[in-house]
Amino acid sequence: MAQWDRLRQLSATYWQQLHELYDRDGLPMDVRHYLSAWIEKQEWERAARDYGLAMVLYQVLLENLDIQHSRFVQEESFLQQHNIRRYKQSFQRYQDEPCALASTIQWFLEKEKEILNSAELSEQVQLLQVEQEAMETTCQQELERKMAGLRNDVQCLEHAIICLEEQQDEFDFKYQTHKMEAVTDEAQKNERIKMFQSLVNKLNEYRKSTLADLNKLLDRAEDLINLLVRKELVDWQRRQQKSCIGAPDNVCLDQLEKWFTCVAMCLFQVREFLNKLDELMGKMSYENDPIKAQKPALNKRTDALLKDLLKSSFVVETQPSMPQGKGPLVLRTNVQFSVKTRLLVKFAELNHSMKVNVSMSREAPQIKGYRRFNVLGTATKDLNMAESLSGGMVADFRHLSLREQKSGGGGKGISEISLSVTEELHIIYFNTVFDLKGFSVELQASSLPVVIISNSSQQQSAWASILWFNMLSLDPKDVMFFATVPAAPWPQFGEMLSWQFLSATKRGLDDDQRKMIAHKLFGKQQNYDICQVTWSKFSKENGPDTFWVWFDGILAMVKSYLENIWREGLIMGFVSRGKEKLLLKKKKRGTFLLRFSESVVGGITFSWVEMDSTGEPYIKTVQPFTKTDLCQIPFHEIIRNFQILEAENIPENPLLFLYPDTPKDEAFGKWYTDKTGADNPYMKYIKTKLMFVSKENSLEARSPMSCDMTQGDCLEPMNGLYGEAAEQEDEPRLLQSQLETFQDPMLSSSSLDPLDNNYLLYPNLTDSDFIQQQPDQFLADFNNLLAPSLLPAQICGGIFQ
């Protein structure tokens, strides 16, 4: 199903995100809607780098808008005619920079994918956390029971104060009547005095009882506040930390908002009750009046509880993130980022009355060279209910940026601690004032620590720091974390690695893959749970061979080129060469598996079983494919058409069964495509096909009796994990052929070079073209296939069909 159609089927929550996305300038939603099919078929990522292709796409976009405008003219849709004409005029600004338009459209498509991934991940969360949710449900039920008890206590107290007021009014009426009657009979007067004393005693007991109920209500409120602030909110903050680095945790605040608001409303009612008691005491008081004695302490306690609740209710709902960042909490100077705060105490009368200000910490750590920054952009916003999907009180900052202060750097010469730029942690603060019904308190929320970079080349290291901090730190304000950075226990570390794949591709690492990675890091161990990974082994700035550089290269490759087959579980991926041999040596000829390269960052290779002349199995491996290859040919097409030239120069595809025994076409067939250059709407080339061909002697043949086969997994620990001999062999060459070009009128103004490497394909000729050649001439020509020069079109003939 087309991406746009899938988006239109999402729930209202995600539709709101889509509306927020298209509130930005760059690509009108109308254009995205009416040209959705065409937009999704284009190679915008490539066009962002290729001026010629970008110009072609730009011109065709304008033509499509003209066509759409004509349709609206026929339909007499005046408003849509106007909009389309206006959109076309706005696109004219890209006439000299078509690559910028391609980059913009590619960014919108990527953001759409993130919304889709978020929706699918939400479904997965519900499936993966059934038991956890059952436990959470039990806790929620207990909290709901206590909330119901608090609300019931408030209602009872409200009734008690009404009764108390009636009793006091009764006493006052009788006493005032007695004074007007002027009773002279001493006996009758004494009787009435006894009656009034009895009423006062009864009123006194009722006042004591009401004050006791107030204390009990505050005890219950304090118990709930402790649960909310010191457990539920802390648990949410930890879940948010983990979700920032890919964990499928639920970070919705709606339930917490409901609870915080309930307790706050009850405490405000208690303040009203105390004011009522003060009013009653003003009308009537006496010696040892319990209200006079206890009310100041009750006032102080109520305000303290309310202050404690409110100070904790102001939170950062969505952590700072850049539109095109690797993840949240990595910010770049002079690049806009967004962040959203939320007040968990929801009172309708506060809508648009509370202003939130953004600032950076003025008290920098005492570290030499520690940088300071100013926040630029709209740094003040109202808390309002319009910007929240659930109607909560939020302030959504979308256009903030940071600029480094050029003077007054902190901590010069004060500390010997030295931190790299990507180990510096900074906190963004948000301040507001809560003022309602005579109660005022200043509130402050703070972001999780962010890493601030000045160059995109630092983003990989910065994201590593964010992963490490949020995986291990339980103190969300510990900006000195990397001064004495702790090691990561393997169970926690392996789970974090799995989250990276889960968030990027919707499929995490299984137990076997995690075990393979543990073996890569620590060598063979009886129990990996006791092992630890140090920060320096994981990621060290400017270190080209760190584990994170290798792992992130794989992750980027899978996300960009292999997501479908990874999600289907067709890539074993993290498997050592020794383990690979153990798995394949007992399999039939043609059985192959896919694994990530250990020596080439962002590389994937495959190995398969062959039989020697005695029937003994041996393993062959091809040099890893990288993004250079995968951006030209989809990996499933490489597997489908891959061929080797054996000793007799006979081409053969050796890949028959995906491990353990799935026929290749059954595993990958649903992604096969026969589309060629002829289907390109902009260029008319000769019908073509791309494939990889290797000479048989350019592959590594590994004997089943080699050392690592007989001894099992012989992979070295992390220090020596990048040493694949097979991956140092000659690279399989992509066959190239001359192309016949067709001059399309739409390309007349384009600067596309038809012989550009991105367009080098193979002629898809008939078998008859091959048959007409003489055998000797064919062998001579065929031996030239591996030469780097361009081949005459007829030579490649029907051999590769």
Side-chain angles (χ1 to χ4, degrees):
M1 184 184 297
Q3 182 167 305
W4 187 250
D5 292 335
R6 290 167 61 198
L7 285 164
R8 293 173 63 189
Q9 294 182 8
L10 296 178
S11 64
T13 299
Y14 298 100
W15 254 106
Q16 180 64 28
Q17 293 182 28
L18 197 64
H19 282 301
E20 291 176 1
L21 172 63
Y22 280 98
D23 282 344
R24 295 172 170 84
D25 296 331
L27 181 63
M29 184 180 278
D30 284 1
V31 175
R32 176 66 178 98
H33 175 73
Y34 291 118
L35 304 185
S36 60
W38 177 80
I39 287 175
E40 291 178 27
K41 289 179 181 177
Q42 310 317 311
E43 298 182 61
W44 298 107
E45 185 175 0
R46 204 178 104 207
R49 304 186 303 269
D50 186 331
Y51 179 88
L53 179 58
M55 180 58 73
V56 171
L57 294 180
Y58 169 70
Q59 292 171 349
V60 176
L61 173 64
L62 297 183
E63 291 172 8
N64 283 330
L65 289 176
D66 285 338
I67 294 170
Q68 195 64 43
H69 182 268
S70 299
R71 290 175 182 167
F72 289 135
V73 170
Q74 294 174 4
E75 296 170 5
E76 298 182 353
S77 178
F78 175 78
L79 181 60
Q80 292 297 345
Q81 290 176 49
H82 170 77
N83 288 339
I84 292 295
R85 185 167 59 250
R86 182 164 54 87
Y87 298 149
K88 183 180 178 182
Q89 290 173 351
S90 71
F91 282 127
Q92 296 293 335
R93 68 182 186 273
Y94 292 109
Q95 186 169 2
D96 297 327
E97 296 180 342
C99 290
L101 173 62
S103 178
T104 297
I105 295 177
Q106 174 66 17
W107 182 82
F108 274 93
L109 293 175
E110 289 298 324
K111 286 299 174 184
E112 289 179 2
K113 288 180 182 178
E114 289 179 12
I115 293 174
L116 285 171
N117 290 343
S118 177
E120 294 179 14
L121 194 59
S122 178
E123 293 178 3
Q124 281 196 359
V125 168
Q126 295 176 1
L127 296 175
L128 292 173
Q129 298 181 331
V130 174
E131 291 184 3
Q132 182 179 348
E133 285 180 356
M135 234 161 87
E136 288 177 355
T137 300
T138 303
C139 294
Q140 288 182 3
Q141 288 175 346
E142 179 64 17
L143 257 172
E144 287 288 357
R145 186 186 65 78
K146 291 185 176 184
M147 289 288 173
L150 180 66
R151 288 191 295 267
N152 183 66
D153 283 355
V154 169
Q155 291 176 355
C156 292
L157 193 57
E158 183 178 23
H159 177 72
I161 290 178
I162 291 173
C163 293
L164 179 61
E165 185 177 20
E166 289 176 350
Q167 277 193 343
Q168 185 165 317
D169 287 344
E170 179 187 359
F171 174 86
D172 186 61
F173 174 77
K174 290 181 178 180
Y175 185 72
Q176 295 300 330
T177 302
H178 165 69
K179 286 200 300 183
M180 287 189 296
E181 289 180 351
V183 178
T184 56
D185 183 37
E186 285 298 324
Q188 188 177 2
K189 184 184 290 188
N190 290 335
E191 188 65 31
R192 288 196 177 184
I193 289 174
K194 289 181 180 179
M195 178 194 69
F196 288 135
Q197 186 62 52
S198 175
L199 288 175
V200 169
N201 292 340
K202 185 178 179 182
L203 187 62
N204 188 60
E205 290 301 318
Y206 212 95
R207 284 187 173 186
K208 287 182 179 179
S209 175
T210 301
L211 292 168
D213 289 343
L214 261 174
N215 271 306
K216 289 178 182 177
L217 190 153
L218 292 177
D219 288 342
R220 189 187 288 271
E222 185 173 11
D223 179 46
L224 277 169
I225 290 171
N226 285 330
L227 280 174
L228 291 177
V229 172
R230 288 149 186 85
K231 183 182 183 303
E232 295 298 326
L233 188 61
V234 170
D235 288 349
W236 174 82
Q237 289 171 335
R238 182 57 187 155
R239 290 198 304 272
Q240 188 189 48
Q241 267 191 282
K242 294 192 296 180
S243 72
C244 283
I245 57 174
D249 285 0
N250 181 11
V251 292
C252 178
L253 282 168
D254 291 351
Q255 185 61 65
L256 270 178
E257 179 189 74
K258 177 183 173 184
W259 290 333
F260 268 78
T261 302
C262 175
V263 177
M265 291 179 68
C266 289
L267 288 175
F268 270 106
Q269 285 184 276
V270 170
R271 295 184 86 245
E272 291 178 5
F273 296 157
L274 290 171
N275 289 337
K276 188 65 179 177
L277 290 177
D278 195 46
E279 179 186 327
L280 293 177
M281 184 180 66
K283 292 180 179 179
M284 175 184 174
S285 186
Y286 45 87
E287 189 178 355
N288 298 325
D289 185 345
I291 295 179
K292 189 175 183 179
Q294 299 182 35
K295 183 180 171 294
L298 287 171
N299 270 331
K300 186 176 180 180
R301 186 183 180 193
T302 302
D303 288 353
L305 290 176
L306 192 52
K307 185 176 181 180
D308 189 14
L309 181 72
L310 290 172
K311 278 184 170 292
S312 302
S313 68
F314 189 40
V315 298
V316 177
E317 180 178 14
T318 304
Q319 292 294 329
S321 64
M322 298 186 298
Q324 294 174 293
K326 198 173 184 67
L329 303 172
V330 176
L331 306 180
R332 183 176 171 183
T333 52
N334 302 316
V335 174
Q336 287 189 347
F337 67 92
S338 59
V339 60
K340 184 189 291 186
T341 60
R342 182 166 177 174
L343 183 66
L344 298 179
V345 174
K346 179 179 173 182
F347 289 93
E349 53 265 47
L350 291 175
N351 193 26
H352 287 286
S353 68
M354 295 174 63
K355 294 188 179 297
V356 180
N357 300 307
V358 187
S359 62
M360 297 291 289
S361 174
R362 296 182 180 275
E363 298 179 3
Q366 300 301 301
I367 298 175
K368 184 177 181 180
Y370 190 89
R371 300 167 299 159
R372 292 185 179 185
F373 297 88
N374 294 324
V375 180
L376 306 181
T378 306
T380 302
K381 288 205 70 174
D382 292 345
L383 277 170
N384 65 88
M385 299 180 184
E387 294 182 312
S388 172
L389 300 177
S390 61
M393 294 279 293
V394 304
D396 191 359
F397 297 86
R398 299 187 188 179
H399 306 292
L400 299 177
S401 62
L402 299 173
R403 178 178 295 171
E404 184 176 353
Q405 296 179 8
K406 296 303 181 183
S407 59
K412 183 177 180 181
I414 295 177
S415 172
E416 296 300 323
I417 297 172
S418 177
L419 296 179
S420 67
V421 167
T422 57
E423 291 175 334
E424 268 187 26
L425 299 178
H426 300 263
I427 293 177
I428 303 174
Y429 291 93
F430 305 86
N431 295 278
T432 188
V433 176
F434 181 96
D435 193 348
L436 181 68
K437 299 178 180 178
F439 186 84
S440 181
V441 59
E442 293 184 0
L443 308 181
Q444 184 179 84
S446 57
S447 71
L448 289 170
V450 299
V451 174
I452 304 173
I453 60 176
S454 56
N455 192 289
S456 58
S457 63
Q458 300 168 317
Q459 192 161 106
Q460 187 179 53
S461 295
W463 182 239
S465 298
I466 293 301
L467 292 175
W468 205 260
F469 177 88
N470 289 289
M471 172 177 57
L472 297 176
S473 178
L474 298 179
D475 179 2
K477 293 186 178 181
D478 184 11
V479 295
M480 298 293 290
F481 175 81
F482 285 101
T484 53
V485 57
W490 164 250
Q492 211 169 344
F493 182 78
E495 185 178 41
M496 181 272 290
L497 295 182
S498 181
W499 292 341
Q500 304 316 296
F501 272 89
L502 180 62
S503 60
T505 68
K506 298 180 286 297
R507 181 187 179 94
L509 304 176
D510 60 32
D511 290 340
D512 288 337
Q513 289 165 332
R514 283 194 240 186
K515 187 175 180 182
M516 292 171 190
I517 295 174
H519 182 242
K520 188 181 297 291
L521 285 167
F522 310 114
K524 191 160 184 68
Q525 303 287 338
Q526 291 294 324
N527 181 13
Y528 290 112
D529 288 353
I530 62 175
C531 296
Q532 291 190 327
V533 184
T534 63
W535 168 240
S536 59
K537 178 174 281 192
F538 175 66
S539 176
K540 186 175 182 180
E541 186 154 10
N542 300 323
D545 298 322
T546 61
F547 175 87
W548 172 241
V549 170
W550 172 76
F551 185 87
D552 190 49
I554 292 171
L555 183 63
M557 173 186 60
V558 171
K559 183 177 181 180
S560 299
Y561 304 107
L562 307 173
E563 183 174 347
N564 288 336
I565 61 176
W566 169 265
R567 200 184 305 167
E568 294 287 328
L570 304 181
I571 300 176
M572 186 171 291
F574 298 98
V575 54
S576 67
R577 295 178 62 195
K579 182 69 173 179
E580 173 191 74
K581 290 182 179 180
L582 290 174
L583 294 173
L584 290 177
K585 69 177 182 178
K586 295 183 180 180
K587 292 298 178 180
K588 54 191 172 185
R589 179 180 177 275
T591 301
F592 67 99
L593 57 78
L594 313 178
R595 67 178 178 87
F596 301 128
S597 170
E598 295 173 305
S599 62
V600 177
V601 174
I604 186 170
T605 185
F606 45 76
S607 302
W608 69 92
V609 180
E610 288 285 5
M611 298 292 177
D612 63 18
S613 58
T614 65
E616 288 295 318
Y618 64 98
I619 311 301
K620 286 185 177 180
T621 300
V622 71
Q623 180 171 342
F625 301 92
T626 63
K627 66 178 181 180
T628 304
D629 310 308
L630 300 177
C631 69
Q632 299 180 65
I633 315 179
F635 194 51
H636 56 267
E637 292 294 335
I638 293 176
I639 295 170
R640 177 189 184 186
N641 297 309
F642 177 79
Q643 298 188 356
I644 60 171
L645 300 179
E646 296 187 343
E648 298 82 7
N649 278 341
I650 301 173
E652 177 187 7
N653 190 325
L655 310 178
L656 303 176
F657 305 97
L658 179 66
Y659 183 88
D661 53 13
T662 306
K664 175 184 67 178
D665 292 342
E666 180 181 325
F668 300 95
K670 66 181 179 180
W671 295 294
Y672 289 169
T673 175
D674 291 326
K675 290 183 179 180
T676 62
D679 297 306
N680 192 310
Y682 321 116
M683 302 177 181
K684 303 298 181 182
Y685 290 140
I686 296 172
K687 200 171 184 182
T688 57
K689 179 183 289 185
L690 288 172
M691 62 183 68
F692 276 85
V693 177
S694 290
K695 278 188 176 181
E696 192 273 341
N697 60 10
S698 73
L699 304 169
E700 182 199 23
R702 288 177 271 155
S703 165
M705 298 305 294
S706 61
C707 170
D708 57 356
M709 282 286 287
T710 56
Q711 297 180 10
D713 268 5
C714 294
L715 187 66
E716 294 297 326
M718 185 67 198
N719 300 356
L721 86 114
Y722 305 125
E724 293 179 5
E727 295 172 4
Q728 308 303 319
E729 299 292 346
D730 290 340
E731 196 175 324
R733 297 193 179 100
L734 181 64
L735 293 182
Q736 302 176 338
S737 68
Q738 291 180 344
L739 301 173
E740 292 184 14
T741 62
F742 174 79
Q743 185 64 30
D744 193 310
M746 299 175 63
L747 294 176
S748 59
S749 63
S750 161
S751 62
L752 278 177
D753 182 356
L755 293 182
D756 183 82
N757 286 338
N758 290 332
Y759 294 92
L760 294 178
L761 310 174
Y762 303 117
N764 188 15
L765 306 181
T766 63
D767 290 339
S768 62
D769 296 315
F770 166 62
I771 295 170
Q772 290 172 6
Q773 301 180 65
Q774 296 300 319
D776 292 341
Q777 179 62 36
F778 158 67
L779 290 176
D781 289 339
F782 197 86
N783 286 330
N784 291 328
L785 284 175
L786 298 176
S789 60
L790 294 174
L791 300 177
Q794 66 270 22
I795 291 179
C796 293
I799 299 171
F800 302 109
Q801 305 305 310

